[in-house]
Amino acid sequence: MTTATPTRPAKPAPSAEPGPPEPGRWRRFLPTPKFLTLGVVALVIAYLAIVPLYYLLWGTFFDAQGVTFSGFTRAYGNDQVFSLVGNSLWFAVGAAAVSLVLGTALAYLNVRTDVPFKALFFAASIIPLVIPGILYTIAWILLGSPDIGLINHYLEPIFGRAVIDVFSIWGMIWVEGLQLSPIVFLLMVAAFRSMDPSLEESALMSGAGRWTVFRKITIPLVRPAIVAAILIMVVRSLESFEVPALLGLQNGIYVFTSRIYFVLRQYPPDLSAAGALAVGLLVIAIIGVAISNFAGRASKNYQTVTGKGFRPRPMELGKWRPVAGVLIILYFLLTVVAPLLVLLYTSLVKFYAPPSKDTFKSMTLDNYRALAHTSDAITALKNSLILGLSSATLVMAFMAVAAWIVVRSNIRGRKILDGLAFLPLVVPGLVMGLALSFVYLRSPIPIYGTLFILLISYCTRYLPYGMRYSVTSMQQISNELEESAMVNGASWWQTFRRVLLPLLMPGLVAGWIYILVVSFRELSSSILLYSPGNEVLSILIFEQFENGQFTVLAALGVVMVLTLVVLVTVAYKLGAKVGLKQD
């Protein structure tokens, strides 16, 4: 008996027409939300950092005929180039020296001695950072001008006319140095606090004097911080615009930034010559940052904080304690009280004049009432708030994702992204404004002359600060929390939004606050990009100064400072409420 062998059914012949695609096959070619988010953030950062500089270099070195150096010939081909470079370097080095001497001395007295009035140190270091540079410079014009300065007015019966002249190179150095000294103070306070004082104490016990100990032991131990402070202040002074524009131009003293502004104010503006000047300034700034980074690498040779615990004991000043107290009060008066008081006084008088019984009797709030009914002032305040809030929010949102790429991911080239975000730090604000002009004057998109180009400028300038805040916060969070969320089925976006963002929030809020404040007071890049009707507060103050309206300007400045104080206060309150709480 035989059994039938089962046969397989024949396969159908292939059809000549292709069948419908399998469901889901096309989805493999679409980017995932994670890849799309990371790609967009990386492209935006690369665009903001590279494109303006590319157009700046292209517009400087190329024209319709090809490679050209005609811009450099017009910019540097006269006898004034030597005074331009000399003034720029002398101004930068002098301001750095003034700020270094004041900031280092005050930091040493605050950390290492029993100096009185230590509560004033906080105010003297924080308040000048809140005052916009243009207001600080104008305040010193009202104090040290040969014609209307209050200090000269009171010193004239004793020493003669024009004892102080802020419109000289020495006046520029003095104002810029005072403005930068709080930054040096904050840098050197950290250095002195982390230095083991046992070496100083040993030298004192061996019979060395205080000045000898300070000169031969203290200063060498904090040398890396001093070198870094010098180079940072030199770069900051080179890119300063307010002081050279408001003080130097009055006497024909040009530095790079004021010369670029003067070239662009001519008609027709010489963009190629301005680009050549900007390239020269950019090269000097890059060299300064490179030297600063190189000097920072040697900091391990000066480390004195090890695993052994120590507690710095304040050094007794003895008979010099009252002298140090007087110096601190004098510094506080010069950097905080005098500039603010002269602005407040000027805002309350109808016509600027030295204080007298008549001027005090005629004080009025008319300048503030005029501001309330001035559409330009209200528009400028609104624009400043919009740009400050928008730039701070956008930068920190993008940098939170960029920090994840740099710190958490294994993507090739992630360090390049960190370098691109750092690149705008070496670009002075006026150069950035000029670079963006090169981009959007040639762009078919009607951005130039609108608030949007100012927003692009602010976001580009403050990328490095947002990245540093975000990366620092990301490095403090263990990746175990992300791994746990992933194991439990959370997607990358859910993990980032529900786990990382709440933990990053304190650092993100701190960066958001800082960018909001510096955006609110920005002038150097805005001066080349704004158009009538799109002014911000700093631009409006600059225009009022050029028109000689000091009383209205002072009232606007007081409103600006108060607004910044309110923003900083609210920011501190919010910052104290976010993040993890410890019982």
Side-chain angles (χ1 to χ4, degrees):
M1 186 174 179
T2 62
T3 58
T5 303
T7 59
R8 295 181 180 178
K11 293 183 178 180
S15 175
E17 297 180 358
E22 295 180 6
R25 178 180 296 180
W26 57 274
R27 295 180 182 176
R28 290 183 295 176
F29 300 99
L30 291 179
T32 61
K34 173 183 176 180
F35 179 81
L36 187 62
T37 303
L38 300 183
V40 169
V41 169
L43 287 176
V44 169
I45 293 175
Y47 174 84
L48 292 178
I50 296 176
V51 171
L53 291 181
Y54 169 79
Y55 271 84
L56 174 66
L57 297 176
W58 181 270
T60 303
F61 289 99
F62 294 89
D63 61 8
Q65 285 73 36
V67 179
T68 179
F69 295 96
S70 60
F72 286 87
T73 302
R74 294 191 298 275
Y76 300 104
N78 52 56
D79 296 336
Q80 296 180 351
V81 65
F82 298 103
S83 62
L84 173 69
V85 177
N87 289 337
S88 299
L89 295 178
W90 182 238
F91 169 66
V93 173
V98 170
S99 62
L100 181 72
V101 170
L102 292 175
T104 303
L106 291 170
Y108 181 80
L109 290 174
N110 182 48
V111 176
R112 309 309 297 274
T113 69
D114 61 342
V115 67
F117 309 117
K118 289 194 174 185
L120 294 180
F121 280 102
F122 178 80
S125 61
I126 298 299
I127 295 178
L129 298 179
V130 178
I131 303 175
I134 185 172
L135 287 180
Y136 201 84
T137 306
I138 291 174
W140 269 100
I141 291 176
L142 298 174
L143 289 170
S145 169
D147 299 320
I148 63 173
L150 294 183
I151 296 178
N152 286 319
H153 173 74
Y154 291 114
L155 294 181
E156 184 175 354
I158 304 174
F159 300 102
R161 185 180 180 276
V163 178
I164 299 174
D165 184 6
V166 294
F167 298 118
S168 63
I169 188 68
W170 293 106
M172 294 166 57
I173 289 173
W174 171 253
V175 175
E176 186 71 20
L178 276 185
Q179 190 175 352
L180 295 178
S181 60
I183 302 177
V184 178
F185 171 79
L186 295 175
L187 290 173
M188 297 308 299
V189 160
F192 283 126
R193 283 179 177 171
S194 60
M195 189 183 73
D196 190 347
S198 60
L199 299 175
E200 295 173 300
E201 294 171 356
S202 299
L204 289 172
M205 293 177 63
S206 299
R210 287 190 178 93
W211 173 246
T212 303
V213 172
F214 181 79
R215 183 168 51 90
K216 292 189 174 182
I217 296 178
T218 306
I219 293 299
L221 288 176
V222 295
R223 187 175 300 164
I226 291 176
V227 172
I230 290 175
L231 293 171
I232 291 172
M233 295 306 106
V234 167
V235 174
R236 287 286 300 268
S237 300
L238 280 173
E239 70 172 20
S240 173
F241 173 73
E242 293 89 343
V243 172
L246 272 62
L247 302 183
L249 290 182
Q250 305 296 324
N251 276 344
I253 302 173
Y254 287 96
V255 297
F256 273 102
T257 52
S258 57
R259 186 66 185 174
I260 293 172
Y261 176 72
F262 180 79
V263 168
L264 292 175
R265 287 292 297 268
Q266 294 177 338
Y267 185 82
D270 192 343
L271 293 178
S272 182
L277 292 168
V279 169
L281 179 58
L282 180 61
V283 169
I284 296 176
I286 291 175
I287 292 174
V289 173
I291 295 174
S292 177
N293 292 335
F294 178 79
R297 294 178 182 177
S299 59
K300 291 186 177 179
N301 298 331
Y302 300 89
Q303 289 178 350
T304 61
V305 181
T306 61
K308 299 179 181 179
F310 67 89
R311 178 176 297 177
R313 289 178 296 177
M315 184 185 301
E316 295 182 0
L317 294 176
K319 63 180 180 180
W320 295 103
R321 193 168 184 266
V323 177
V326 171
L327 292 177
I328 291 170
I329 294 177
L330 181 62
Y331 174 79
F332 181 74
L333 291 175
L334 287 175
T335 57
V336 178
V337 177
L340 290 179
L341 279 183
V342 73
L343 283 176
L344 181 61
Y345 164 77
T346 307
S347 70
L348 295 174
V349 296
K350 293 182 178 180
F351 305 99
Y352 180 78
S356 62
K357 292 182 179 179
D358 295 334
T359 56
F360 282 114
K361 290 180 181 179
S362 62
M363 281 187 172
T364 178
L365 296 176
D366 289 345
N367 294 319
Y368 293 94
R369 295 189 185 98
L371 282 181
H373 295 88
T374 302
S375 60
D376 289 345
I378 298 174
T379 301
L381 177 60
K382 181 184 69 175
N383 290 340
S384 294
L385 287 173
I386 290 174
L387 290 171
L389 294 172
S390 301
S391 59
T393 303
L394 289 174
V395 168
M396 296 314 300
F398 276 94
M399 290 303 101
V401 179
W404 186 91
I405 298 175
V406 173
V407 178
R408 286 286 196 267
S409 73
N410 295 320
I411 300 174
R412 290 183 180 181
R414 61 186 182 277
K415 296 300 181 182
I416 297 178
L417 186 66
D418 193 17
L420 289 176
F422 175 80
L423 183 61
L425 189 65
V426 301
V427 182
L430 203 70
V431 176
M432 180 60 68
L434 182 60
L436 290 173
S437 300
F438 273 93
V439 176
Y440 294 105
L441 280 174
R442 296 169 171 84
S443 173
I445 305 175
I447 294 177
Y448 192 85
T450 66
L451 278 183
F452 192 70
I453 193 173
L454 291 176
L455 179 61
I456 294 175
S457 173
Y458 293 2
C459 289
T460 305
R461 286 205 67 191
Y462 303 123
L463 281 180
Y465 305 102
M467 178 63 95
R468 295 278 69 80
Y469 277 105
S470 301
V471 166
T472 302
S473 301
M474 186 74 71
Q475 289 172 340
Q476 295 175 342
I477 301 173
S478 173
N479 56 5
E480 297 175 355
L481 300 172
E482 296 174 78
E483 294 172 355
S484 299
M486 295 288 191
V487 168
N488 286 279
S491 65
W492 175 85
W493 176 245
Q494 290 174 326
T495 303
F496 185 84
R497 182 169 55 89
R498 293 191 172 186
V499 177
L500 281 180
L501 274 185
L503 296 173
L504 288 172
M505 198 55 66
L508 297 181
V509 170
W512 186 88
I513 293 167
Y514 177 79
I515 295 174
L516 172 65
V517 172
V518 293
S519 299
F520 204 82
R521 48 179 286 177
E522 163 63 29
L523 173 66
S524 57
S525 60
S526 305
I527 196 72
L528 300 181
L529 299 174
Y530 84 99
S531 62
N534 290 320
E535 295 93 347
V536 292
L537 283 176
S538 57
I539 295 295
L540 188 58
I541 291 174
F542 188 79
E543 291 179 345
Q544 298 284 352
F545 173 80
E546 288 189 323
N547 295 332
Q549 299 179 354
F550 287 100
T551 56
V552 178
L553 174 156
L556 185 60
V558 172
V559 171
M560 188 176 183
V561 171
L562 290 177
T563 305
L564 283 172
V565 170
V566 171
L567 290 174
V568 172
T569 304
V570 173
Y572 272 110
K573 296 292 184 181
L574 292 176
K577 294 182 178 180
V578 298
L580 299 177
K581 301 293 189 298
Q582 292 183 351
D583 295 332

